Amino acid sequence: MAQTFLHTLFGPRTRALQEAAGSRASYARMEADAGPADVLTKRELDFIAARDSFYMASVSEDGWPYVQHRGGPAGFLRHIEGNRIGFADYRGNRQYLSVAHLAADDRVSLFLMDYPNHRRLKIIAHARSSKDAADIAALMPQGYAAEPERAFLIDVIGYDWNCPQHITPRFTQAEVRRASQPLIDEIAALRTRIAHLEGAAS
């Protein structure tokens, strides 16, 4: 997709630079198909559901860009309906930067990374916070040891799958354990067999 994502973010100076670099024609063809929003498909929703963290950028009341890390159990960023996703906001340092920013300017950008598989998804959206108990309950991961204060509801306008170049693979402890488990099991089985053979020989 990415047509609406690109059409929304490309400004006159960006287009002029593309023209000078010779890339404008191909991007113009992509922009021509832009609609009200890039519709999320199963590919994007599956990717979102597998993430245990992402970065969210907002704009301060004075126009400064601000980026914040958000984390939780895999799937804490959830599909709600249509092009709407959301997550529960946990009690933290009580700075309330994102909440205040969204009250002044509801535009956000999300950056989702899959380091092991060299994939990244960029999202632009309109977002708002909600204190509604039903919204919070619907987005709070079951059994997660955190205290939710509010929900963030995010209406996706556009997204883009970024180039996989220059992504250094990184792995979580859980991913390392899963990858190592077959070898650990094989070593354990080998030790059991050796012990059995030694016992039979004595």
Side-chain angles (χ1 to χ4, degrees):
M1 300 289 287
Q3 292 96 329
T4 304
F5 180 95
L6 299 177
H7 182 69
T8 303
L9 292 182
F10 288 169
R13 290 183 178 84
T14 300
R15 294 184 177 96
L17 289 169
Q18 292 169 356
E19 190 70 45
S23 60
R24 181 64 203 141
S26 61
Y27 285 124
R29 285 193 294 272
M30 295 179 70
E31 282 191 81
D33 294 326
D38 294 325
V39 178
L40 295 170
T41 70
K42 185 176 184 300
R43 180 190 182 198
E44 289 76 45
L45 295 177
D46 287 348
F47 185 83
I48 290 168
R51 307 277 63 79
D52 61 6
S53 69
F54 66 92
Y55 301 94
M56 184 172 77
S58 57
V59 181
S60 80
E61 294 163 272
D62 293 326
W64 283 97
Y66 173 73
V67 180
Q68 187 173 56
H69 173 267
R70 295 288 182 165
F76 80 100
L77 179 61
R78 299 182 178 180
H79 179 228
I80 299 172
E81 61 180 358
N83 248 35
R84 176 172 288 181
I85 58 178
F87 64 95
D89 183 36
Y90 316 129
R91 181 180 295 275
N93 57 19
R94 302 188 185 185
Q95 290 183 342
Y96 304 117
L97 288 168
S98 297
V99 177
H101 294 175
L102 295 181
D105 187 332
D106 70 353
R107 291 174 297 176
V108 296
S109 179
L110 276 57
F111 205 91
L112 286 69
M113 294 296 303
D114 176 5
Y115 288 104
N117 296 299
H118 302 264
R119 296 189 300 169
R120 54 188 168 185
L121 178 64
K122 298 184 297 186
I123 291 173
I124 54 173
H126 295 287
R128 65 180 177 89
S129 64
S130 170
K131 284 278 203 173
D132 186 272
D135 289 336
I136 297 171
L139 293 170
M140 185 63 193
Q142 188 172 7
Y144 189 54
E147 183 180 348
E149 284 193 323
R150 65 185 56 77
F152 279 105
L153 309 178
I154 302 166
D155 292 311
V156 175
I157 299 301
Y159 63 82
D160 186 24
W161 289 94
N162 239 170
C163 171
Q165 292 187 79
H166 313 300
I167 299 177
T168 301
R170 293 180 172 87
F171 302 89
T172 65
Q173 290 180 332
E175 289 165 341
V176 171
R177 279 197 298 269
R178 283 196 299 270
S180 304
Q181 196 59 50
L183 180 59
I184 293 171
D185 293 343
E186 188 175 335
I187 291 172
L190 184 59
R191 285 177 175 167
T192 300
R193 185 179 177 190
I194 290 172
H196 177 74
L197 291 174
E198 288 175 343
S202 59

